[in-house]
Amino acid sequence: MSEVLNNEQLEKASGGAGWTDNMYDLYNFDCKTVSVPAGTLLVMQESPGGSFMPVSFQDGEAIYVNRFYSLSGYLLAYKNGTYGLVDANYVK
């Protein structure tokens, strides 16, 4: 008996969709430290250089970032149930 795979199953089988699922798995995140100039904040963005999100980090604050995923100098970060991108230049 043969099975027909749908597009989603094919994408997972080829490795495409599986990474998207793992991208948001907190097991793949490390705790780093935010380093921004005094009086400024590191704000999450929807895309590299994109719209700001209502989530920000202060200098010295701990930040969780995906240790495997980066995009155009931005890291995937997590805070209080929200995922977004942050400028990697301000994460140590």
Side-chain angles (χ1 to χ4, degrees):
M1 182 170 161
S2 65
E3 284 189 39
V4 177
L5 298 177
N6 65 29
N7 286 339
E8 182 179 333
Q9 291 168 321
L10 286 172
E11 189 173 349
K12 278 188 178 182
S14 69
W19 172 242
T20 302
D21 295 341
N22 291 332
M23 193 166 85
Y24 297 103
D25 184 342
L26 291 178
Y27 178 78
N28 294 322
F29 283 64
D30 283 334
C31 186
K32 301 287 186 172
T33 303
V34 172
S35 179
V36 292
T40 64
L41 297 171
L42 177 61
V43 181
M44 267 192 195
Q45 296 174 287
E46 293 179 359
S47 61
S51 299
F52 291 121
M53 299 171 66
V55 178
S56 60
F57 302 89
Q58 298 178 26
D59 186 51
E61 186 175 349
I63 183 174
Y64 291 101
V65 294
N66 187 303
R67 64 180 174 259
F68 303 113
Y69 181 83
S70 65
L71 180 64
S72 302
Y74 285 77
L75 302 172
L76 179 63
Y78 171 84
K79 184 177 183 181
N80 299 332
T82 302
Y83 294 91
L85 297 173
V86 294
D87 189 326
N89 292 314
Y90 301 104
V91 177
K92 307 293 180 210

Coordinates of all heavy atoms in Angstrom, one line a residue:
M1 N 0.8 -1.2 0.0 CA 0.0 0.0 0.0 C 0.9 1.2 0.0 O 1.8 1.4 0.8 CB -0.9 0.0 1.2 CG -1.8 1.1 1.3 SD -2.9 0.7 2.7 CE -3.5 2.3 3.0
S2 N 0.7 2.1 -0.9 CA 1.5 3.3 -1.0 C 0.7 4.5 -0.4 O -0.5 4.6 -0.4 CB 1.9 3.7 -2.4 OG 0.7 4.0 -3.1
E3 N 1.5 5.5 0.2 CA 0.9 6.7 0.8 C 1.3 7.9 -0.1 O 2.4 8.0 -0.7 CB 1.5 6.9 2.2 CG 0.9 6.0 3.2 CD 1.3 6.5 4.6 OE1 1.4 7.7 4.9 OE2 1.6 5.5 5.4
V4 N 0.4 8.8 -0.1 CA 0.7 10.1 -0.8 C 1.0 11.1 0.3 O 0.3 11.3 1.2 CB -0.5 10.5 -1.7 CG1 -0.2 11.9 -2.3 CG2 -0.8 9.5 -2.7
L5 N 2.2 11.8 0.1 CA 2.5 12.8 1.1 C 2.1 14.2 0.7 O 2.2 14.5 -0.5 CB 4.1 12.9 1.2 CG 4.7 11.6 1.8 CD1 6.3 11.8 1.8 CD2 4.3 11.3 3.2
N6 N 1.6 15.0 1.6 CA 1.2 16.3 1.3 C 2.4 17.2 1.3 O 3.5 16.8 1.7 CB 0.0 16.9 2.2 CG 0.5 17.0 3.6 OD1 1.6 17.2 3.9 ND2 -0.5 16.8 4.5
N7 N 2.3 18.5 0.9 CA 3.4 19.4 0.8 C 4.1 19.6 2.2 O 5.3 19.7 2.3 CB 3.0 20.7 0.3 CG 2.8 20.6 -1.2 OD1 3.3 19.7 -1.9 ND2 2.0 21.6 -1.8
E8 N 3.3 19.7 3.3 CA 3.9 19.9 4.6 C 4.7 18.7 5.0 O 5.8 18.8 5.5 CB 2.7 20.1 5.6 CG 3.2 20.3 7.0 CD 2.1 20.6 8.0 OE1 1.0 21.0 7.6 OE2 2.3 20.2 9.2
Q9 N 4.3 17.5 4.7 CA 5.0 16.3 5.1 C 6.3 16.2 4.2 O 7.3 15.8 4.7 CB 4.2 15.0 4.9 CG 3.0 14.9 5.9 CD 2.0 13.9 5.4 OE1 1.7 13.7 4.3 NE2 1.5 13.1 6.4
L10 N 6.2 16.6 3.0 CA 7.4 16.6 2.1 C 8.4 17.6 2.6 O 9.6 17.3 2.7 CB 7.0 16.9 0.7 CG 6.3 15.8 -0.1 CD1 5.9 16.3 -1.4 CD2 7.3 14.6 -0.3
E11 N 8.0 18.7 3.1 CA 8.9 19.8 3.6 C 9.6 19.3 4.8 O 10.8 19.4 5.0 CB 8.1 21.1 3.8 CG 9.1 22.2 4.2 CD 8.4 23.5 4.3 OE1 7.2 23.6 3.9 OE2 9.0 24.5 4.7
K12 N 8.8 18.6 5.7 CA 9.4 18.1 6.9 C 10.4 17.0 6.6 O 11.5 16.9 7.2 CB 8.4 17.5 7.9 CG 7.7 18.6 8.7 CD 6.8 17.9 9.7 CE 6.2 19.0 10.6 NZ 5.3 18.5 11.6
A13 N 10.1 16.1 5.7 CA 11.0 15.0 5.3 C 12.3 15.6 4.7 O 13.3 15.0 4.9 CB 10.3 14.1 4.3
S14 N 12.2 16.7 4.0 CA 13.4 17.2 3.4 C 14.2 18.1 4.4 O 15.3 18.6 4.0 CB 13.1 18.1 2.2 OG 12.4 19.2 2.5
G15 N 13.7 18.3 5.6 CA 14.4 19.1 6.6 C 14.0 20.6 6.6 O 14.4 21.3 7.5
G16 N 13.1 21.0 5.7 CA 12.7 22.4 5.7 C 11.8 22.8 6.9 O 12.1 23.7 7.6
A17 N 10.7 22.1 7.1 CA 9.8 22.5 8.2 C 10.3 22.2 9.6 O 10.0 22.8 10.5 CB 8.4 21.9 7.9
G18 N 11.1 21.1 9.7 CA 11.6 20.7 11.0 C 12.4 21.8 11.7 O 12.2 22.0 12.8
W19 N 13.2 22.5 10.9 CA 14.0 23.6 11.5 C 13.1 24.7 12.0 O 13.3 25.3 13.1 CB 15.0 24.1 10.6 CG 15.7 25.3 11.2 CD1 15.7 26.6 10.7 CD2 16.4 25.4 12.4 NE1 16.4 27.4 11.5 CE2 16.8 26.7 12.6 CE3 16.8 24.5 13.4 CZ2 17.5 27.1 13.7 CZ3 17.5 24.9 14.5 CH2 17.9 26.2 14.6
T20 N 12.1 25.0 11.3 CA 11.2 26.1 11.7 C 10.6 25.8 13.1 O 10.5 26.6 14.0 CB 10.0 26.3 10.7 OG1 10.6 26.6 9.4 CG2 9.1 27.5 11.1
D21 N 10.2 24.5 13.3 CA 9.7 24.1 14.6 C 10.8 24.2 15.7 O 10.5 24.7 16.8 CB 9.2 22.7 14.5 CG 8.0 22.5 13.6 OD1 7.3 23.5 13.3 OD2 7.7 21.4 13.2
N22 N 12.0 23.8 15.4 CA 13.1 23.8 16.3 C 13.6 25.2 16.6 O 14.2 25.5 17.6 CB 14.2 22.9 15.9 CG 13.9 21.5 15.9 OD1 13.1 21.1 16.7 ND2 14.5 20.7 15.0
M23 N 13.4 26.1 15.7 CA 13.8 27.5 15.8 C 13.3 28.1 17.0 O 13.9 29.0 17.7 CB 13.4 28.3 14.5 CG 14.1 29.6 14.4 SD 13.9 30.2 12.7 CE 12.3 31.0 12.8
Y24 N 12.0 27.8 17.4 CA 11.4 28.4 18.6 C 11.4 27.5 19.8 O 10.8 27.8 20.8 CB 9.9 28.7 18.2 CG 9.8 29.7 17.1 CD1 9.5 29.3 15.8 CD2 10.1 31.0 17.3 CE1 9.5 30.2 14.8 CE2 10.0 32.0 16.3 CZ 9.7 31.5 15.0 OH 9.6 32.5 14.0
D25 N 12.2 26.4 19.7 CA 12.4 25.5 20.9 C 13.4 26.1 21.8 O 14.5 26.3 21.5 CB 12.9 24.1 20.4 CG 13.0 23.1 21.5 OD1 13.0 23.5 22.7 OD2 13.0 21.9 21.1
L26 N 12.9 26.5 23.0 CA 13.8 27.2 24.0 C 15.1 26.3 24.4 O 16.0 26.9 24.9 CB 13.0 27.6 25.2 CG 12.0 28.7 25.0 CD1 11.3 29.0 26.3 CD2 12.7 29.9 24.4
Y27 N 15.0 25.0 24.1 CA 16.2 24.2 24.3 C 17.4 24.7 23.4 O 18.5 24.6 23.8 CB 15.9 22.8 23.9 CG 17.1 21.8 24.1 CD1 17.5 21.4 25.3 CD2 17.8 21.4 23.0 CE1 18.6 20.5 25.5 CE2 18.9 20.6 23.1 CZ 19.3 20.1 24.4 OH 20.3 19.3 24.5
N28 N 17.1 25.4 22.3 CA 18.1 25.9 21.4 C 18.6 27.3 21.7 O 19.3 27.9 20.9 CB 17.6 25.8 20.0 CG 17.4 24.4 19.5 OD1 18.2 23.5 19.9 ND2 16.4 24.1 18.8
F29 N 18.1 27.8 22.9 CA 18.4 29.2 23.2 C 19.5 29.2 24.4 O 19.5 28.4 25.2 CB 17.2 29.9 23.7 CG 16.3 30.4 22.6 CD1 15.7 29.4 21.8 CD2 16.0 31.7 22.4 CE1 14.8 29.8 20.7 CE2 15.2 32.1 21.3 CZ 14.6 31.1 20.5
D30 N 20.4 30.2 24.3 CA 21.3 30.5 25.3 C 21.0 31.8 26.0 O 20.5 32.7 25.4 CB 22.8 30.6 24.8 CG 23.3 29.2 24.4 OD1 22.9 28.2 25.1 OD2 24.2 29.1 23.5
C31 N 21.5 32.0 27.2 CA 21.3 33.2 28.0 C 22.6 34.1 27.7 O 23.7 33.6 27.9 CB 21.1 32.9 29.5 SG 20.8 34.4 30.4
K32 N 22.3 35.3 27.2 CA 23.4 36.2 27.0 C 23.1 37.5 27.7 O 22.1 37.6 28.4 CB 23.5 36.5 25.5 CG 23.8 35.3 24.6 CD 25.2 34.8 24.7 CE 25.5 33.7 23.8 NZ 26.8 33.3 23.7
T33 N 23.9 38.5 27.6 CA 23.8 39.8 28.2 C 23.6 40.9 27.2 O 24.4 41.0 26.3 CB 24.9 40.1 29.2 OG1 25.1 39.0 30.1 CG2 24.7 41.4 30.0
V34 N 22.7 41.8 27.5 CA 22.5 43.0 26.6 C 23.5 44.0 27.0 O 23.7 44.3 28.2 CB 21.0 43.5 26.8 CG1 20.9 44.9 26.1 CG2 20.0 42.5 26.3
S35 N 24.1 44.7 26.0 CA 25.1 45.7 26.2 C 24.8 46.9 25.3 O 25.1 46.9 24.1 CB 26.5 45.2 25.9 OG 27.4 46.2 26.1
V36 N 24.0 47.8 25.8 CA 23.6 49.0 25.0 C 24.1 50.3 25.8 O 24.3 50.2 27.0 CB 22.1 49.1 24.8 CG1 21.6 48.0 23.9 CG2 21.3 49.1 26.1
P37 N 24.3 51.4 25.1 CA 24.7 52.6 25.7 C 23.7 53.1 26.8 O 22.5 52.8 26.7 CB 24.7 53.7 24.6 CG 24.9 52.8 23.3 CD 24.1 51.5 23.6
A38 N 24.1 53.8 27.8 CA 23.3 54.2 28.9 C 22.1 55.0 28.4 O 22.3 55.8 27.4 CB 24.1 55.1 29.9
G39 N 21.0 54.8 28.9 CA 19.8 55.5 28.5 C 19.1 55.0 27.2 O 18.1 55.6 26.8
T40 N 19.6 53.9 26.7 CA 19.0 53.4 25.5 C 18.5 52.0 25.8 O 18.8 51.4 26.8 CB 19.9 53.3 24.3 OG1 21.0 52.4 24.6 CG2 20.5 54.7 24.0
L41 N 17.7 51.4 24.9 CA 17.1 50.1 25.0 C 17.4 49.3 23.7 O 17.5 49.9 22.7 CB 15.6 50.2 25.2 CG 15.1 50.8 26.4 CD1 13.5 51.0 26.3 CD2 15.4 50.1 27.7
L42 N 17.4 48.0 23.9 CA 17.5 47.1 22.7 C 16.1 46.6 22.5 O 15.5 46.0 23.4 CB 18.4 45.9 23.0 CG 18.5 44.9 21.9 CD1 19.1 45.5 20.6 CD2 19.4 43.7 22.3
V43 N 15.5 47.0 21.4 CA 14.1 46.7 21.1 C 14.0 45.5 20.1 O 14.7 45.5 19.1 CB 13.4 47.9 20.5 CG1 11.9 47.7 20.3 CG2 13.5 49.1 21.5
M44 N 13.1 44.6 20.4 CA 12.8 43.5 19.4 C 12.2 44.1 18.2 O 11.4 45.1 18.2 CB 11.8 42.5 20.0 CG 12.4 41.4 20.7 SD 11.1 40.1 21.0 CE 11.9 39.2 22.2
Q45 N 12.5 43.4 17.0 CA 12.0 43.8 15.7 C 11.3 42.6 15.0 O 11.7 41.5 15.3 CB 13.1 44.4 14.9 CG 13.6 45.7 15.5 CD 14.8 46.2 14.7 OE1 15.9 45.6 14.8 NE2 14.6 47.3 14.0
E46 N 10.4 42.9 14.2 CA 9.7 41.9 13.4 C 10.6 41.3 12.3 O 10.4 40.1 12.0 CB 8.4 42.4 12.8 CG 7.4 42.8 13.8 CD 6.1 43.3 13.2 OE1 6.0 43.4 12.0 OE2 5.2 43.7 14.0
S47 N 11.5 42.0 11.8 CA 12.4 41.6 10.7 C 13.7 42.5 10.8 O 13.7 43.5 11.5 CB 11.8 41.8 9.4 OG 11.5 43.1 9.1
P48 N 14.8 42.1 10.2 CA 16.0 42.9 10.3 C 15.7 44.3 9.8 O 15.3 44.5 8.7 CB 17.0 42.2 9.3 CG 16.5 40.8 9.4 CD 15.0 40.9 9.4
G49 N 15.9 45.3 10.7 CA 15.7 46.7 10.3 C 14.2 47.0 10.2 O 13.8 48.1 9.7
G50 N 13.3 46.1 10.7 CA 11.9 46.3 10.5 C 11.2 47.0 11.7 O 11.9 47.6 12.5
S51 N 9.9 46.8 11.7 CA 9.1 47.4 12.7 C 9.5 47.0 14.1 O 9.8 45.8 14.3 CB 7.6 47.1 12.5 OG 7.2 47.6 11.2
F52 N 9.4 48.0 15.0 CA 9.7 47.6 16.4 C 8.5 46.9 17.1 O 7.4 47.2 16.8 CB 10.0 48.9 17.2 CG 11.3 49.5 16.8 CD1 11.4 50.8 16.4 CD2 12.5 48.8 17.0 CE1 12.6 51.4 16.0 CE2 13.7 49.3 16.6 CZ 13.8 50.6 16.1
M53 N 8.8 46.1 18.0 CA 7.8 45.3 18.8 C 7.8 45.9 20.2 O 8.7 46.6 20.6 CB 8.2 43.8 18.8 CG 8.2 43.2 17.4 SD 8.9 41.5 17.4 CE 7.7 40.7 18.3
P54 N 6.7 45.7 20.9 CA 6.6 46.3 22.3 C 7.4 45.5 23.3 O 7.0 45.5 24.5 CB 5.1 46.2 22.5 CG 4.6 45.0 21.8 CD 5.5 45.0 20.5
V55 N 8.5 45.0 23.0 CA 9.4 44.2 23.9 C 10.8 44.8 23.8 O 11.3 45.0 22.7 CB 9.4 42.7 23.5 CG1 10.4 42.0 24.5 CG2 8.0 42.1 23.6
S56 N 11.4 45.1 24.9 CA 12.7 45.7 24.9 C 13.6 45.2 26.1 O 13.1 44.6 27.0 CB 12.6 47.3 25.0 OG 12.0 47.6 26.2
F57 N 14.9 45.5 26.0 CA 15.8 45.0 27.0 C 16.7 46.2 27.4 O 17.1 47.0 26.6 CB 16.7 43.9 26.4 CG 16.0 42.7 25.9 CD1 15.5 42.7 24.6 CD2 15.7 41.6 26.7 CE1 14.8 41.6 24.1 CE2 15.0 40.5 26.2 CZ 14.6 40.5 24.9
Q58 N 17.1 46.2 28.7 CA 18.0 47.3 29.2 C 19.4 46.8 29.2 O 19.6 45.6 29.2 CB 17.5 47.7 30.6 CG 16.1 48.2 30.7 CD 15.8 48.5 32.2 OE1 16.6 48.8 33.0 NE2 14.5 48.5 32.5
D59 N 20.3 47.7 29.4 CA 21.7 47.4 29.5 C 21.9 46.4 30.7 O 21.4 46.7 31.8 CB 22.6 48.6 29.7 CG 24.1 48.3 29.6 OD1 24.5 47.6 28.7 OD2 24.8 48.7 30.6
G60 N 22.7 45.4 30.5 CA 23.0 44.4 31.6 C 21.9 43.4 31.8 O 22.1 42.4 32.6
E61 N 20.8 43.5 31.1 CA 19.7 42.5 31.2 C 20.0 41.2 30.5 O 20.7 41.2 29.5 CB 18.4 43.1 30.7 CG 17.2 42.2 30.9 CD 15.9 42.9 30.4 OE1 15.9 44.1 30.1 OE2 14.9 42.2 30.4
A62 N 19.6 40.1 31.1 CA 19.8 38.8 30.5 C 18.8 38.7 29.4 O 17.6 39.1 29.4 CB 19.5 37.7 31.5
I63 N 19.2 38.0 28.3 CA 18.4 37.8 27.1 C 18.6 36.4 26.6 O 19.7 35.9 26.6 CB 18.8 38.9 26.0 CG1 17.9 38.8 24.8 CG2 20.2 38.8 25.6 CD1 18.1 39.9 23.7
Y64 N 17.5 35.8 26.2 CA 17.6 34.5 25.6 C 17.6 34.6 24.1 O 16.7 35.2 23.5 CB 16.4 33.6 26.0 CG 16.5 33.3 27.5 CD1 15.7 33.9 28.4 CD2 17.4 32.3 27.9 CE1 15.8 33.6 29.8 CE2 17.4 31.9 29.3 CZ 16.7 32.6 30.2 OH 16.7 32.3 31.5
V65 N 18.7 34.0 23.4 CA 18.8 34.1 22.0 C 19.1 32.7 21.4 O 19.7 31.9 22.1 CB 19.9 35.0 21.5 CG1 19.6 36.5 21.8 CG2 21.3 34.7 22.1
N66 N 18.5 32.4 20.3 CA 18.7 31.1 19.6 C 20.2 31.0 19.2 O 20.7 31.9 18.5 CB 17.8 31.0 18.4 CG 17.9 29.6 17.8 OD1 18.9 29.1 17.4 ND2 16.7 29.0 17.7
R67 N 20.8 29.9 19.6 CA 22.3 29.8 19.4 C 22.6 29.4 18.0 O 23.8 29.4 17.5 CB 22.9 28.9 20.4 CG 22.5 27.5 20.4 CD 23.2 26.7 21.5 NE 22.7 25.3 21.6 CZ 21.9 24.9 22.5 NH1 21.4 25.8 23.4 NH2 21.4 23.7 22.6
F68 N 21.6 29.0 17.2 CA 21.8 28.5 15.8 C 21.3 29.4 14.7 O 21.6 29.2 13.6 CB 21.2 27.1 15.6 CG 21.6 26.1 16.6 CD1 20.8 25.6 17.6 CD2 23.0 25.6 16.6 CE1 21.2 24.6 18.5 CE2 23.4 24.7 17.5 CZ 22.5 24.2 18.5
Y69 N 20.4 30.3 15.1 CA 19.7 31.1 14.1 C 20.1 32.6 14.1 O 20.1 33.2 15.2 CB 18.2 31.0 14.3 CG 17.4 31.8 13.3 CD1 17.2 31.2 12.0 CD2 17.0 33.1 13.5 CE1 16.4 31.9 11.1 CE2 16.3 33.8 12.6 CZ 16.0 33.2 11.4 OH 15.3 33.9 10.4
S70 N 20.5 33.1 13.0 CA 20.8 34.6 12.9 C 20.4 34.9 11.4 O 20.4 34.1 10.5 CB 22.2 34.9 13.2 OG 23.1 34.3 12.2
L71 N 20.1 36.2 11.3 CA 19.6 36.7 10.0 C 20.1 38.1 9.8 O 19.7 39.0 10.5 CB 18.1 36.6 9.9 CG 17.4 37.1 8.6 CD1 17.8 36.2 7.4 CD2 15.9 37.1 8.8
S72 N 21.0 38.3 8.9 CA 21.5 39.7 8.5 C 21.9 40.5 9.7 O 21.6 41.6 9.9 CB 20.4 40.5 7.8 OG 20.0 39.8 6.6
G73 N 22.7 39.8 10.6 CA 23.2 40.5 11.8 C 22.2 40.6 13.0 O 22.5 41.3 13.9
Y74 N 21.1 39.9 12.9 CA 20.1 39.9 14.0 C 20.0 38.5 14.5 O 20.2 37.5 13.8 CB 18.7 40.4 13.4 CG 18.7 41.8 13.2 CD1 19.3 42.4 12.1 CD2 18.0 42.7 14.1 CE1 19.2 43.8 11.9 CE2 18.0 44.1 13.9 CZ 18.6 44.6 12.8 OH 18.5 46.0 12.6
L75 N 19.7 38.4 15.8 CA 19.5 37.2 16.5 C 18.0 37.0 16.9 O 17.3 38.0 17.1 CB 20.3 37.1 17.8 CG 21.8 37.4 17.7 CD1 22.4 37.5 19.0 CD2 22.4 36.2 16.9
L76 N 17.6 35.7 16.9 CA 16.2 35.4 17.3 C 16.2 35.4 18.8 O 16.9 34.6 19.5 CB 15.7 34.1 16.8 CG 14.3 33.7 17.2 CD1 13.3 34.6 16.7 CD2 14.0 32.3 16.7
A77 N 15.4 36.3 19.5 CA 15.4 36.4 20.9 C 14.0 36.0 21.4 O 13.0 36.0 20.7 CB 15.7 37.8 21.3
Y78 N 13.9 35.8 22.8 CA 12.7 35.4 23.4 C 12.6 36.1 24.7 O 13.6 36.3 25.5 CB 12.7 33.9 23.7 CG 11.6 33.4 24.6 CD1 10.3 33.1 24.1 CD2 11.7 33.3 26.0 CE1 9.3 32.7 24.8 CE2 10.7 32.9 26.8 CZ 9.4 32.6 26.2 OH 8.4 32.3 27.0
K79 N 11.4 36.6 25.0 CA 11.1 37.3 26.3 C 9.6 37.2 26.6 O 8.8 37.6 25.8 CB 11.5 38.7 26.3 CG 11.4 39.4 27.7 CD 11.9 40.8 27.7 CE 11.8 41.5 29.0 NZ 12.3 42.9 29.0
N80 N 9.3 36.6 27.7 CA 7.9 36.5 28.2 C 6.9 36.1 27.2 O 5.9 36.7 26.9 CB 7.5 37.9 28.8 CG 8.3 38.3 29.9 OD1 8.9 37.5 30.7 ND2 8.5 39.6 30.1
G81 N 7.2 35.0 26.5 CA 6.3 34.4 25.5 C 6.3 35.1 24.1 O 5.6 34.7 23.2
T82 N 7.2 36.0 23.9 CA 7.4 36.7 22.6 C 8.7 36.4 22.0 O 9.7 36.5 22.6 CB 7.2 38.2 22.8 OG1 5.9 38.5 23.4 CG2 7.3 39.0 21.4
Y83 N 8.7 36.1 20.7 CA 9.9 35.9 19.9 C 10.0 37.1 18.9 O 9.0 37.5 18.3 CB 9.8 34.6 19.0 CG 9.8 33.4 19.9 CD1 8.6 32.8 20.3 CD2 11.0 32.7 20.2 CE1 8.5 31.7 21.0 CE2 10.9 31.6 21.0 CZ 9.7 31.1 21.4 OH 9.7 29.9 22.1
G84 N 11.3 37.5 18.7 CA 11.5 38.6 17.8 C 13.0 38.7 17.5 O 13.8 38.0 18.1
L85 N 13.4 39.6 16.6 CA 14.8 39.7 16.3 C 15.4 40.9 17.0 O 14.8 41.9 17.2 CB 15.0 39.9 14.8 CG 14.5 38.7 13.9 CD1 14.5 39.1 12.5 CD2 15.4 37.5 14.2
V86 N 16.7 40.8 17.4 CA 17.4 41.9 18.0 C 18.8 42.0 17.3 O 19.3 41.0 16.8 CB 17.7 41.6 19.6 CG1 16.3 41.7 20.3 CG2 18.4 40.3 19.8
D87 N 19.3 43.2 17.3 CA 20.6 43.5 16.7 C 21.7 42.8 17.5 O 21.9 43.0 18.7 CB 20.8 45.0 16.7 CG 22.0 45.4 15.9 OD1 23.0 44.7 15.8 OD2 22.0 46.5 15.3
A88 N 22.4 41.9 16.8 CA 23.5 41.1 17.4 C 24.6 41.9 18.0 O 25.3 41.5 18.9 CB 24.0 40.1 16.4
N89 N 24.8 43.1 17.5 CA 25.9 44.0 18.0 C 25.7 44.4 19.5 O 26.7 44.8 20.1 CB 26.0 45.3 17.2 CG 26.4 45.0 15.7 OD1 27.4 44.3 15.5 ND2 25.7 45.6 14.8
Y90 N 24.5 44.2 20.0 CA 24.3 44.6 21.4 C 24.0 43.5 22.3 O 23.5 43.6 23.4 CB 23.1 45.6 21.4 CG 23.3 46.8 20.6 CD1 22.7 47.0 19.3 CD2 24.2 47.8 21.0 CE1 23.0 48.1 18.6 CE2 24.5 48.9 20.2 CZ 23.9 49.1 19.0 OH 24.1 50.2 18.3
V91 N 24.4 42.3 21.9 CA 24.3 41.1 22.7 C 25.7 40.4 22.9 O 26.4 40.2 21.9 CB 23.3 40.1 22.0 CG1 23.2 38.8 22.8 CG2 21.9 40.7 21.8
K92 N 26.0 40.2 24.1 CA 27.4 39.7 24.4 C 27.2 38.3 25.1 O 26.4 38.1 26.0 CB 28.2 40.6 25.3 CG 28.3 42.0 24.8 CD 29.1 42.0 23.6 CE 29.2 43.5 23.1 NZ 29.3 43.7 21.7

